[in-house]
Amino acid sequence: MQDIEKEIEYCFYINKIKNAKISFLAGDASNRKYFNVILSKKKLVLMYDDNHTNLRKFIKVSKYLEKEVSIPKIILNFYKHNILILEDFGDEKYGKILDNKNKSSLYLLATKTLIHLQKKNFKLPKYSDEIFLNESNLFFNWYLPFFKKRKFNKEQRKFNEIFPNFLKKLQFLPKTFVHRDYHIDNLFFLSKRKEIFKCGLIDYQDALIGPCAYDLVSLTQDARIDVPEKLENFLVDYYLKENSLINNKLFTYCYKILAIQRHLKVLGIFCRLLVRDKKDSYICHIPRVKKMLQSNLMFSDFKELKELLTPLIDQ
């Protein structure tokens, strides 16, 4: 952290930024760090990321989204120093303000915002079956070694043989913008704005073009919070009413496959964060993710997948 702070100080010095007040705000699952910064009495957010590829992607996707939804405006661009100075969305992150009174309205707002975004055309890379499969394998490469203390090469090979057959149906869903981490920690409620602009988005630099159900799954089957089944069903029904051309049976199948894929991925990532990156704040969510994974595997079409994965999930 000291090296980062020194780089920020040097960046401000050579760019003649004086009297800035800086304090650490948050880190995330990546190496990205956020700081509160006050410049000319204005509260802003400093984002530090020494991965220039990620910074370039963040800037690129920001240009696509800036007129469509609420995202933090890039106030100052110090790309060469791994730094962007961003608009501050304040303290009303979904994860902090959700309660029984506002939960339905906030989730509906996020769903409406998602539907709006999915009607736009952006030139982004595709969410390929290869990417889906590689992400799913994080379960075998990190989760299983962490809990089972042995390798499951035979089961992993079997999974890689059969799972692409389940992914094939995704091609029949509309291809849209996919945020890839559309969950409560990346959404803000901006009460002074209008309509969908009340929902602010962050952490969208990994966006791709992929199956339309993915972000809805991320929102309604969130690793970080229990979303009531009644609310999940309401949001899915609302989404389908607003996208009446989508076959409901096909959507249900793809929704559950994407949920399985994402939960496998998340289980692997949470264990990798602990083992490799010494970040232990995510491990507490594993029981919830396991429960959601097991629930989706109960779908009658997934019998073969259920028989393979259930013994590996159970401890």
Side-chain angles (χ1 to χ4, degrees):
M1 184 69 74
Q2 288 183 345
D3 290 341
I4 295 175
E5 292 173 350
K6 286 181 180 179
E7 188 161 358
I8 293 172
E9 289 178 6
Y10 177 71
C11 171
F12 281 10
Y13 172 75
I14 65 172
N15 286 284
K16 299 180 180 179
I17 295 176
K18 299 179 180 179
N19 301 320
K21 295 181 179 180
I22 303 171
S23 60
F24 180 70
L25 175 60
D28 63 12
S30 70
N31 289 326
R32 199 173 304 113
K33 299 289 186 296
Y34 295 91
F35 297 82
N36 287 316
V37 57
I38 298 177
L39 297 178
S40 302
K41 298 183 180 181
K42 187 173 184 180
K43 188 179 178 183
L44 301 168
V45 172
L46 184 151
M47 183 176 81
Y48 179 92
D49 193 339
D50 57 7
N51 185 322
H52 278 196
T53 299
N54 282 342
L55 274 183
R56 285 196 298 270
K57 288 193 294 184
F58 182 89
I59 294 167
K60 176 184 177 181
V61 180
S62 292
K63 290 179 180 178
Y64 285 138
L65 300 183
E66 60 186 357
K67 293 182 180 179
E68 303 297 339
V69 292
S70 289
I71 61 168
K73 294 178 182 177
I74 299 175
I75 309 299
L76 293 170
N77 183 342
F78 300 130
Y79 169 81
K80 291 182 179 179
H81 298 279
N82 312 316
I83 292 168
L84 296 177
I85 306 294
L86 308 173
E87 175 187 6
D88 181 15
F89 272 169
D91 296 325
E92 292 196 297
K93 182 185 285 190
Y94 265 44
K96 289 185 177 180
I97 66 171
L98 276 172
D99 58 35
N100 290 331
K101 292 182 180 180
N102 64 24
K103 185 177 291 184
S104 294
S105 61
L106 287 176
Y107 271 99
L108 182 58
L109 173 62
T111 303
K112 289 179 177 180
T113 304
L114 180 61
I115 292 170
H116 172 79
L117 262 182
Q118 291 185 345
K119 293 177 181 178
K120 306 301 175 180
N121 294 316
F122 304 120
K123 292 182 179 179
L124 293 167
K126 294 181 179 179
Y127 211 149
S128 66
D129 286 358
E130 181 181 5
I131 296 174
F132 278 126
L133 198 59
N134 288 340
E135 289 178 344
S136 305
N137 273 276
L138 293 171
F139 172 81
F140 292 92
N141 298 334
W142 290 96
Y143 173 84
L144 289 181
F146 181 78
F147 284 103
K148 304 290 187 176
K149 307 303 181 186
R150 70 178 182 88
K151 294 184 177 181
F152 288 81
N153 295 333
K154 181 180 178 181
E155 290 84 353
Q156 186 171 9
R157 285 195 297 269
K158 179 67 174 177
F159 176 84
N160 288 329
E161 287 175 7
I162 67 173
F163 198 58
N165 296 323
F166 293 96
L167 293 173
K168 284 180 180 178
K169 281 200 175 181
L170 298 180
Q171 65 183 301
F172 299 109
L173 276 186
K175 300 299 180 292
T176 65
F177 172 88
V178 177
H179 180 293
R180 292 180 79 186
D181 265 326
Y182 200 75
H183 57 70
I184 58 167
D185 282 347
N186 288 332
L187 300 174
F188 284 77
F189 182 61
L190 308 173
S191 59
K192 294 182 180 180
R193 303 191 187 188
K194 295 182 179 180
E195 299 177 341
I196 62 164
F197 288 93
K198 287 179 178 289
C199 184
L201 280 60
I202 64 169
D203 204 20
Y204 42 75
Q205 65 282 334
D206 293 323
L208 296 171
I209 299 299
C212 64
Y214 188 94
D215 281 342
L216 189 62
V217 169
S218 303
L219 183 68
T220 59
Q221 296 198 18
D222 193 334
R224 295 153 186 79
I225 189 173
D226 293 322
V227 178
E229 184 178 358
K230 184 178 179 180
L231 177 57
E232 178 183 2
N233 292 337
F234 167 74
L235 295 172
V236 171
D237 288 344
Y238 178 85
Y239 181 91
L240 287 171
K241 286 176 183 177
E242 294 296 310
N243 291 276
S244 58
L245 296 180
I246 298 177
N247 179 280
N248 287 17
K249 186 176 180 180
L250 170 68
F251 185 87
T252 298
Y253 181 100
C254 294
Y255 180 92
K256 291 183 178 296
I257 276 294
L258 288 167
I260 291 168
Q261 188 276 341
R262 181 167 175 82
H263 297 326
L264 289 170
K265 165 187 171 181
V266 168
L267 287 173
I269 289 175
F270 284 175
C271 291
R272 185 176 67 185
L273 284 167
L274 178 61
V275 175
R276 188 190 69 184
D277 304 324
K278 312 304 178 186
K279 297 179 180 179
D280 61 1
S281 60
Y282 300 90
I283 208 76
C284 62
H285 300 305
I286 281 182
R288 178 183 297 108
V289 181
K290 284 176 53 181
K291 183 179 179 181
M292 292 188 292
L293 174 56
Q294 290 167 324
S295 176
N296 284 284
L297 285 169
M298 295 302 293
F299 192 54
S300 58
D301 289 7
F302 304 152
K303 182 180 178 182
E304 185 178 17
L305 204 55
K306 177 176 178 282
E307 291 176 351
L308 174 64
L309 291 176
T310 298
L312 304 180
I313 302 166
D314 292 337
Q315 294 183 46

